[in-house]
Amino acid sequence: MVLSCLLYARSHLLPAKAPPTAASAAAAVTEAAAARPQNKSLLPPPPPPPPPHPVASFFNLPPVPALLPAPKSNPEAATIDLSALRGRVILAFNSASQCGFTRDNLRGLSALAQRLGPRGLTVLGFPCDAFGGQEPGGPFEIAAELAKVRGGPELASQYFLLAGKVAAVSGADAHPVFKFLASSSSASASGSSSSSSSSSSSSSNPSSAGSAPTWNFFKYVVGRDGKVVASFGSEYREAEVEAAVVE
């Protein structure tokens, strides 16, 4: 009897549960969605990193290996720190010890470094075998051959530096130094100032401002601000090169 009374009271006296409304159903769905862990794969991908800023100065380029290993007494000589040359005039070129232009260029550039080095010039060579396979040897062979062609027992000095052998100085695979030199010379060629190379007209020394090397001993003159001010082809024309250096 007691159980019957309880069942009667529950079914007739307690208030009936209200049916769910549309708003309550939507709220329940929202709560359930919020409670589920978010699927990260559905999130938008992060924005790509900004492109690297172009190098504004030759002296901002990273160090380059030296041609010969450093002696134990001077381990820092294993690299050439381009930033340490800041404020100097740089004459950079691609060399080859077995090229027809080797003798005149090496002797001329060595004499120029000896004469103008104390006044702020550094000559910097990059041996390269890309043109004609005319630099096939290793570091010691290159150093010995270049010294022999130059006519002296030692080629390198504090004003005449030789970097390690590079694979390419033009095209997509060009060494970063030569990529910068070509792009910087292009910028200088498009400006209002003219370089001394624009007066060159022979096939071996063309009007070369704004160019990448097309043969051995292509020469770039970099000013004290780290930008290319002139460029020259393979033939060594002492008066023109020196004029661009001291300008």
Side-chain angles (χ1 to χ4, degrees):
M1 177 62 107
V2 174
L3 179 61
S4 299
C5 292
L6 290 175
L7 292 175
Y8 178 85
R10 180 175 179 181
S11 59
H12 292 85
L13 300 179
L14 295 177
K17 188 176 182 180
T21 63
S24 63
V29 171
T30 302
E31 281 185 13
R36 288 198 303 267
Q38 292 185 351
N39 186 353
K40 293 186 178 181
S41 64
L42 299 179
L43 297 176
H53 293 289
V55 178
S57 167
F58 178 86
F59 306 113
N60 291 343
L61 290 165
V64 296
L67 176 63
L68 296 177
K72 292 182 179 179
S73 60
N74 185 18
E76 293 183 357
T79 59
I80 300 172
D81 185 359
L82 302 182
S83 66
L85 302 176
R86 191 181 303 274
R88 296 183 65 83
V89 175
I90 309 299
L91 201 161
F93 65 99
N94 59 311
S95 70
S97 58
Q98 300 177 12
C99 178
F101 292 105
T102 303
R103 181 180 180 276
D104 287 347
N105 274 278
L106 280 185
R107 294 192 176 187
L109 293 172
S110 297
L112 195 67
Q114 185 176 5
R115 188 168 68 256
L116 298 181
R119 295 170 54 186
L121 172 66
T122 295
V123 176
L124 176 58
F126 290 81
C128 182
D129 195 43
F131 300 121
Q134 296 178 345
E135 192 67 285
F140 290 99
E141 292 85 357
I142 292 172
E145 189 66 24
L146 292 179
K148 182 173 67 175
V149 172
R150 176 181 177 267
E154 291 190 10
L155 175 64
S157 69
Q158 61 176 321
Y159 304 128
F160 193 112
L161 307 177
L162 283 174
K165 187 175 179 179
V166 299
V169 293
S170 58
D173 297 326
H175 188 277
V177 167
F178 283 86
K179 283 186 177 181
F180 168 80
L181 293 171
S183 63
S184 180
S185 62
S186 296
S188 67
S190 63
S192 57
S193 60
S194 60
S195 73
S196 63
S197 62
S198 62
S199 62
S200 304
S201 57
S202 73
S203 60
S204 61
N205 220 54
S207 177
S208 52
S211 301
T214 56
W215 195 248
N216 303 311
F217 291 98
F218 195 95
K219 297 169 283 292
Y220 296 94
V221 178
V222 179
R224 297 179 190 274
D225 61 353
K227 295 180 172 56
V228 173
V229 297
S231 54
F232 300 90
S234 300
E235 185 179 341
Y236 183 71
R237 298 182 174 182
E238 181 176 3
E240 293 181 8
V241 174
E242 184 168 350
V245 168
V246 301
E247 189 175 57

